Amino acid sequence: MLDIEIVRKCYPDRGGRSHIALADLRLQVQPGEFVCVVGPSGCGKSTLLNVVGGLDHDVSGRVTLDGSPLQDGIGFMFQEPRLMPWLTVIENVLLVAGDDPTAPARARDLLQAMELGDVLDAYPGRLSGGMQRRVALARAFVIEPRVLLMDEPFVSLDAPTADRLRAMLVSLWQRCNTSVLFVTHDLREALALGGRVCFMSGAPGRVMLEWREGLSGPRLPNDAAVLALQRELLDRHPALLAGLLDQSGNAGQGRAQGRNNIEVRTDA
Ligand code: ADP
Ligand code: MG
């Protein structure tokens, strides 16, 4: 089990004061579980993933996997594909695989599954945005990660491309027994993908509500059932999107005043 306990994560402010980005954040992810984290912009979602993934060590707290510090076996996918323009598609995927002799065959299989078999030796500059994200998805899985951290990976794609990528992600996740921590500010995307959805408060970010009801596993965000679920959730927790919930899920006293820009799409 992935066990995250962040007591406090501060950033130094330019004026000498520090900004508390995360405080008292607890989150556990079971092996093979797909957990979505939703929160308004600036609430510390990227900070959380950077801490969990060991990209940021300047934190008080601990992140363990089955009781040991989480060190390797971590796959990442970010908002931007972050491909090296001077490396080919397959070289980009293999960049994270070290000298694992089984990686090249796996990279090729993954890229075929991503329908990129014809562009293995192309450079990223030649690829569309959707293709670049598919390369990034293959790269995230090539190490067969135990933990996969995804930071709004499908943001700013057109809806059909994003749906296709979500379906590809789901099929890769179902094949590996990876624990996924998927961050988004799109409520429908979270309710569609997650087996559990955790809501973060505004700064300092912490998990203020967990929701499992009606989450039957991956679906498309446009599924009518997802829309109904969104309606039920917002009916039950009308204050949710204002970042004003306390731990019990009730409207609290305004400890957290996050700017509300969680995306709630009500179109069918
Ligand atoms: P989110 O991903 O939820 O939009 P971030 O984790 O990027 O939020 O940021 C959380 C808060 O921490 C924001 O107020 C942001 O301005 C601040 N922050 C993020 N990175 C840094 C940094 N490197 N230095 C200072 N402040 C930062
Ligand atoms: Mg972010």
Side-chain angles (χ1 to χ4, degrees), residues 62-72:
R62 65 195 172 85
V63 179
T64 57
L65 185 64
D66 299 335
S68 307
L70 178 62
Q71 277 167 338
D72 43 25

Short mmCIF file of all heavy atoms in Angstrom, two decimals, residues 62-72:
data_model
loop_
_atom_site.label_atom_id
_atom_site.label_comp_id
_atom_site.label_asym_id
_atom_site.label_seq_id
_atom_site.Cartn_x
_atom_site.Cartn_y
_atom_site.Cartn_z
N ARG A 62 6.09 11.75 5.39
CA ARG A 62 6.73 10.58 4.81
C ARG A 62 5.81 9.91 3.80
O ARG A 62 4.60 10.01 3.87
CB ARG A 62 7.15 9.59 5.89
CG ARG A 62 6.03 9.00 6.63
CD ARG A 62 6.48 8.32 7.91
NE ARG A 62 5.28 7.95 8.63
CZ ARG A 62 4.62 6.82 8.43
NH1 ARG A 62 5.08 5.91 7.60
NH2 ARG A 62 3.51 6.56 9.07
N VAL A 63 6.46 9.27 2.83
CA VAL A 63 5.74 8.55 1.79
C VAL A 63 6.34 7.15 1.75
O VAL A 63 7.54 6.99 1.53
CB VAL A 63 5.93 9.23 0.42
CG1 VAL A 63 5.19 8.44 -0.66
CG2 VAL A 63 5.43 10.67 0.45
N THR A 64 5.51 6.14 2.01
CA THR A 64 6.04 4.77 2.01
C THR A 64 5.19 3.88 1.10
O THR A 64 4.02 4.13 0.87
CB THR A 64 6.03 4.17 3.43
OG1 THR A 64 4.70 4.22 3.96
CG2 THR A 64 6.97 4.90 4.37
N LEU A 65 5.87 2.84 0.61
CA LEU A 65 5.18 1.81 -0.17
C LEU A 65 5.44 0.50 0.55
O LEU A 65 6.60 0.09 0.70
CB LEU A 65 5.73 1.78 -1.60
CG LEU A 65 5.02 0.81 -2.56
CD1 LEU A 65 3.57 1.22 -2.79
CD2 LEU A 65 5.76 0.75 -3.89
N ASP A 66 4.39 -0.11 1.03
CA ASP A 66 4.50 -1.34 1.83
C ASP A 66 5.51 -1.16 2.96
O ASP A 66 6.35 -2.04 3.22
CB ASP A 66 4.90 -2.53 0.95
CG ASP A 66 3.85 -2.79 -0.12
OD1 ASP A 66 2.67 -2.42 0.10
OD2 ASP A 66 4.19 -3.32 -1.18
N GLY A 67 5.49 -0.01 3.58
CA GLY A 67 6.29 0.23 4.77
C GLY A 67 7.69 0.76 4.52
O GLY A 67 8.36 1.19 5.45
N SER A 68 8.16 0.75 3.27
CA SER A 68 9.51 1.27 2.98
C SER A 68 9.39 2.57 2.21
O SER A 68 8.42 2.77 1.48
CB SER A 68 10.31 0.28 2.12
OG SER A 68 10.29 -0.98 2.72
N PRO A 69 10.41 3.45 2.35
CA PRO A 69 10.34 4.70 1.59
C PRO A 69 10.15 4.43 0.10
O PRO A 69 10.80 3.53 -0.45
CB PRO A 69 11.70 5.34 1.86
CG PRO A 69 12.16 4.73 3.15
CD PRO A 69 11.61 3.34 3.18
N LEU A 70 9.28 5.20 -0.52
CA LEU A 70 9.04 5.03 -1.96
C LEU A 70 10.22 5.62 -2.72
O LEU A 70 10.51 6.81 -2.60
CB LEU A 70 7.74 5.74 -2.35
CG LEU A 70 7.35 5.70 -3.83
CD1 LEU A 70 7.12 4.28 -4.29
CD2 LEU A 70 6.12 6.55 -4.07
N GLN A 71 10.94 4.79 -3.47
CA GLN A 71 12.13 5.29 -4.16
C GLN A 71 12.10 5.04 -5.65
O GLN A 71 12.34 5.93 -6.44
CB GLN A 71 13.39 4.64 -3.56
CG GLN A 71 13.82 5.38 -2.32
CD GLN A 71 14.85 4.61 -1.53
OE1 GLN A 71 14.97 3.39 -1.66
NE2 GLN A 71 15.60 5.32 -0.71
N ASP A 72 11.84 3.80 -6.04
CA ASP A 72 11.81 3.54 -7.49
C ASP A 72 10.52 2.85 -7.86
O ASP A 72 9.64 2.66 -7.03
CB ASP A 72 13.04 2.74 -7.93
CG ASP A 72 13.33 1.62 -6.95
OD1 ASP A 72 12.37 1.21 -6.27
OD2 ASP A 72 14.48 1.19 -6.84
#
